[in-house]
Amino acid sequence: AMNGSPDRAGARPASDGIAPEAVALLRTLIGIDSVNPDLVPGGAGEARIADAVTAWLAGRGFDCRRLESTAGRPSILAVAPGTGGGRSLMLNGHLDTVSLASYDGDGLTSVVRDGSLYGRGAYDMKSGLAAMMLAADRAHRRRHAGDIVLALVADEEYASDGTAEVLGAVTTDAAIVVEPTGMDLVTAHRGFVWATVTVRGRAAHGSRPDLGLDAIAKTGRLLAEIDSLAGRLAASTPHPLLATGNVHAGTIAGGVEVSSYPADCTVTLERRTIPGEDEQTFRRELEGIVADISRQDPDVAADVQITTHRAPFQADPDSAVGATLAASFSEVAGTEIVRRGEPFWTDCALLHDAGIDTVMFGVAGGGAHAAVEWVTLDSLATVTDTLERAAVRYCA
């Protein structure tokens, strides 16, 4: 996930039967460098960790398939075949991590302290990988009619190419994305749109205002209107789980030297979207802003380009996998699950858009993308137990 999630304490002590095995597997996974090379040039990528999870799962009877349309960036599909006639469930988690250089200490050497395990990926999201692998293994030892599918994907931290490639190879009736959620049930998250706006001026010597047109100064009008749009969005009707959309400027670049009028100025913008909004929403907003500014100041001309967009996610209100997961958590934890949304984007949206009944559920801890990262061991045990029960119940 792009950011951390709210923390919540483990609902009950880790069971003696699960915790040692889960901790051992998690420490093995953390010890394998899987930094995303699209984020960190020269990063190790997912090849070594893909080999490791394949060996672990194949040795336990899973049918493993390697998907590697980009060399060195594999995703693994591991299937525990059912006896037939039941619903199929995908447990989805990503193999890649963010930088080791940004970690305080050796991110590959995990440390257990005060009921938590520390290391790069401990929270985001090798704990989720360990939980789903163990849960699927234990569920597969019991009779189940539908297939249990593990999608251990590459590249979630950058472009989500791994889940996109998985969806070209398999679909299932339902999916649980095991990103860290503080053991809450996440049924919605926001999307995003990235845009580039280039304001055009005229290059000229700094002494010739009669010839030059200052693109940077004209961009000030655009930025003022973006700030106004941000205010309108904040005051709009909120989504019950996601509040409102928002917009901000990300980067700005223009000019070549102090003694010249700049010929252009380029601003990158990010718009976070809620259900009912998409890339066309933002395009209309930007084109309307440019048109208004141009009417007020005929010297202002600008080009709008949408560069990247991902849809928001909202699970079906009657999600069967959501109900199954909630019931399983209640049995394990002895309390009702909390349902909520996330402000950031995840692979849930890709799975849901493919027609798969999707929710998100994972461990508690903190420090995603930060200098210190950890998972609580109680939550690791609770999530593993819950996923096992949910898989057996859903695929029965």
Side-chain angles (χ1 to χ4, degrees), residues 14 20 98 124 354-355 396:
V98 295
D124 183 21

Side-chain angles (χ1 to χ4, degrees), residues 12 41 73 94 114 176 198 238 243 249-250 332 358 391:
R12 59 115 172 95
R73 309 300 308 278
H94 62 86
D114 299 329
I176 301 170
T198 300
V332 171
T358 303

Side-chain angles (χ1 to χ4, degrees), residues 312-390:
F313 157 68
Q314 182 166 279
D316 298 332
D318 57 352
S319 166
V321 74
T324 299
L325 188 64
S328 300
F329 176 83
S330 181
E331 291 172 0
V332 171
T335 186
E336 294 300 309
I337 202 163
V338 173
R339 297 171 183 260
R340 62 175 179 83
E342 287 284 18
F344 50 82
W345 189 88
T346 77
D347 282 353
C348 287
L350 296 180
L351 297 164
H352 185 264
D353 286 351
I356 299 172
D357 180 10
T358 303
V359 295
M360 188 163 74
F361 169 75
V363 298
H369 301 203
V372 179
E373 182 177 356
W374 72 96
V375 61
T376 69
L377 296 181
D378 283 355
S379 75
L380 178 61
T382 298
V383 169
T384 303
D385 285 354
T386 300
L387 292 176
E388 178 196 353
R389 287 176 182 250

Side-chain angles (χ1 to χ4, degrees), residues 32 45-55 66 74-76 95 152:
I32 301 171
E46 298 87 357
R48 279 189 58 218
I49 196 169
D51 291 342
V53 298
T54 298
R66 191 181 186 98
S75 297
I76 303 299
L95 298 166
L152 305 109

Side-chain angles (χ1 to χ4, degrees), residues 13-26 134 377-378 380-381 384-385:
S15 65
D16 292 339
I18 281 190
E21 187 179 9
V23 171
L25 178 56
L26 176 54
L134 283 166
L377 296 181
D378 283 355
L380 178 61
T384 303
D385 285 354

Side-chain angles (χ1 to χ4, degrees), residues 203-229:
H205 193 279
S207 66
R208 296 298 306 272
D210 55 319
L211 300 178
L213 181 63
D214 188 344
I216 294 176
K218 299 300 184 184
T219 301
R221 289 181 175 269
L222 170 72
L223 294 175
E225 290 302 319
I226 292 299
D227 190 51
S228 178
L229 173 60

Side-chain angles (χ1 to χ4, degrees), residues 242-324:
L242 301 173
T244 66
N246 65 281
V247 63
H248 71 95
T251 67
I252 186 167
V256 294
E257 59 199 6
V258 69
S259 61
S260 297
Y261 277 84
D264 53 59
C265 184
T266 298
V267 179
T268 62
L269 302 161
E270 180 181 71
R271 170 78 152 82
R272 293 284 172 159
T273 55
I274 60 175
E277 300 175 337
D278 59 16
E279 72 277 9
Q280 294 305 321
T281 305
F282 193 32
R283 183 185 295 278
R284 289 192 296 270
E285 291 167 344
L286 288 177
E287 290 178 346
I289 286 172
V290 169
D292 287 345
I293 295 172
S294 296
R295 280 193 295 269
Q296 298 167 20
D297 183 349
D299 284 336
V300 175
D303 300 317
V304 174
Q305 181 183 12
I306 302 296
T307 56
T308 302
H309 58 89
R310 294 291 194 186
F313 157 68
Q314 182 166 279
D316 298 332
D318 57 352
S319 166
V321 74
T324 299

